[in-house]
């Protein structure tokens, strides 16, 4: 009788142990991102950026301002950048001298590029209290060597796309990696037109994607190259609001990256 009791006890413990084993957990599925747009601006047109911000506040927009030649910018402009950063916009890096990275490295090497273009930019941005985690290449040109060198210091690294064929072939949509491209909406860009911009936005909406755009100097009236009309920016903002899409900054995309 005692043997039977002991056997029953052992069987009970064995059954209890097997029931307590953890069931293998499935990997969590990647959360589907809300369709939207990242509007980026390059160079140092701070006064014009601030004016555009005032015109577009009614849309609760967000933008990323990629700044170059930071030590050549006056105190009033620095204050405007801080104000925009405090309001939820992003300040990103765009080089200290605005060198063409690919051409500079070809002539001088990667170490010289980092010492002359990246290190002083990072030091000045930090000294001026800008939290910089994204970098946009001047002229949009990049290489694997440059991407690898900048990888440790930036969560997002952006170039520019020059396709202009069909929306589904464009590289200007977020694809789950820290390396990305933007479509240029400056009026002089060879592929830019409002109808094609509408196609890009429609594709983002229908396919639930995030479209990345690039601009330089926002203006009311075009007078030179590298300018984007305010009404073009307003067209984008209206589309985003009417279609319940979302404004993102470059740094917002970091939490969505699945391939680093």
């Amino acid at each position: 009788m005692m043997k039977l009791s002991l056997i029953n006890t052992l069987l009970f413990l064995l059954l209890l142990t097997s029931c307590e084993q953890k069931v293998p957990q499935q990997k969590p599925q990647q959360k589907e991102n809300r369709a939207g747009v990242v509007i980026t601006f390059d160079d140092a047109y701070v006064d014009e950026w601030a004016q555009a911000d005032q015109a577009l506040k009614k849309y609760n927009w967000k933008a990323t301002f990629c700044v170059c030649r930071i030590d050549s910018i006056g105190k009033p402009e620095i204050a405007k950048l801080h104000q925009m950063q405090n309001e939820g916009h992003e300040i990103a890096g765009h080089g200290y001298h605005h060198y063409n990275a690919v051409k500079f490295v070809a002539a001088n090497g990667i170490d010289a590029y980092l010492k002359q273009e990246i290190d002083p930019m990072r030091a000045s941005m930090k000294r001026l209290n800008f939290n910089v985690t994204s970098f946009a290449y001047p002229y949009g040109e990049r290489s694997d060597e440059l991407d690898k060198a900048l990888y440790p210091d930036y969560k997002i690294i952006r170039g520019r796309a020059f396709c202009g064929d069909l929306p589904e072939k464009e590289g200007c949509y977020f694809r789950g990696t820290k390396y990305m491209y933007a479509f240029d909406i400056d009026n002089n860009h060879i592929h830019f037109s409002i109808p094609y911009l509408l196609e890009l936005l429609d594709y983002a909406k229908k396919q639930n994607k995030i479209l990345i755009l690039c601009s330089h100097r926002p203006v009311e009236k075009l007078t030179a190259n590298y300018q984007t009309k305010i009404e073009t920016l307003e067209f984008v903002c209206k589309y985003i609001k009417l279609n319940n899409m979302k404004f993102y900054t470059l740094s917002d995309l970091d939490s969505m990256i699945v391939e680093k």
Side-chain angles (χ1 to χ4, degrees):
M1 190 74 179
M2 195 170 176
K3 283 185 179 180
L4 186 60
S5 177
L6 181 59
I7 291 172
N8 288 337
T9 301
L10 290 172
L11 287 172
F12 174 76
L13 290 173
L14 182 62
L15 179 62
L16 181 65
T17 302
S18 65
C19 289
E20 288 179 347
Q21 288 179 350
K22 293 183 178 179
V23 178
Q25 294 183 350
Q26 293 182 343
K27 292 183 178 180
Q29 293 183 346
Q30 183 184 359
K31 184 179 178 181
E32 193 175 55
N33 303 318
R34 183 174 162 193
V37 66
V38 179
I39 304 175
T40 66
F41 295 86
D42 291 357
D43 295 349
Y45 301 107
V46 179
D47 289 333
E48 289 87 344
W49 296 344
Q51 291 170 8
D53 182 42
Q54 291 301 315
L56 301 173
K57 279 183 186 294
K58 57 189 174 185
Y59 299 104
N60 294 316
W61 81 317
K62 285 201 296 184
T64 299
F65 300 99
C66 308
V67 183
C68 64
R69 304 185 180 98
I70 186 67
D71 285 338
S72 299
I73 297 175
K75 288 184 178 179
E77 288 75 27
I78 293 294
K80 290 178 182 179
L81 288 174
H82 276 133
Q83 181 178 348
M84 289 190 289
Q85 180 175 256
N86 293 338
E87 291 174 354
H89 299 292
E90 178 183 5
I91 307 303
H94 193 50
Y96 191 70
H97 299 285
H98 197 265
Y99 293 146
N100 182 308
V102 173
K103 292 180 180 178
F104 186 93
V105 169
N108 304 283
I110 192 73
D111 289 340
Y113 177 78
L114 295 175
K115 289 178 182 178
Q116 294 185 41
E117 183 76 340
I118 300 300
D119 293 345
M121 177 192 69
R122 293 184 64 211
S124 292
M125 287 288 201
K126 184 177 181 179
R127 174 175 52 81
L128 292 168
N129 296 315
F130 292 114
N131 181 28
V132 176
T133 61
S134 304
F135 179 79
Y137 285 108
Y139 307 101
E141 294 189 42
R142 68 196 305 165
S143 69
D144 290 342
E145 181 184 19
L146 280 159
D147 283 349
K148 184 177 180 180
L150 297 178
Y151 179 95
D153 297 319
Y154 296 98
K155 296 178 179 179
I156 302 294
I157 301 174
R158 197 221 78 199
R160 281 197 289 163
F162 297 97
C163 183
D165 293 326
L166 296 169
E168 57 267 28
K169 293 184 178 181
E170 291 285 5
C172 53
Y173 295 97
F174 176 61
R175 303 180 189 278
T177 172
K178 72 186 294 178
Y179 305 111
M180 58 197 65
Y181 295 87
F183 183 83
D184 195 323
I185 59 172
D186 285 338
N187 196 68
N188 67 296
H189 190 272
I190 189 171
H191 299 302
F192 170 75
S193 71
I194 291 295
Y196 190 60
L197 177 58
L198 179 58
E199 287 187 45
L200 296 174
L201 289 164
D202 283 343
Y203 185 76
K205 174 192 170 186
K206 292 173 184 176
Q207 300 297 322
N208 205 49
K209 291 184 177 293
I210 299 172
L211 172 65
I212 303 160
L213 300 175
C214 170
S215 173
H216 288 81
R217 187 177 189 176
V219 295
E220 292 287 347
K221 184 178 180 181
L222 298 170
T223 59
N225 291 335
Y226 295 101
Q227 294 181 345
T228 298
K229 295 182 75 172
I230 294 287
E231 67 181 44
T232 299
L233 297 170
E234 192 149 13
F235 172 81
V236 174
C237 290
K238 284 181 179 178
Y239 186 99
I240 296 302
K241 300 303 286 188
L242 288 172
N243 289 281
N244 194 32
M245 294 166 69
K246 185 175 179 180
F247 293 105
Y248 295 91
T249 62
L250 284 177
S251 61
D252 287 336
L253 305 181
D254 177 57
S255 63
M256 309 173 198
I257 290 174
V258 295
E259 179 186 334
K260 294 193 177 183

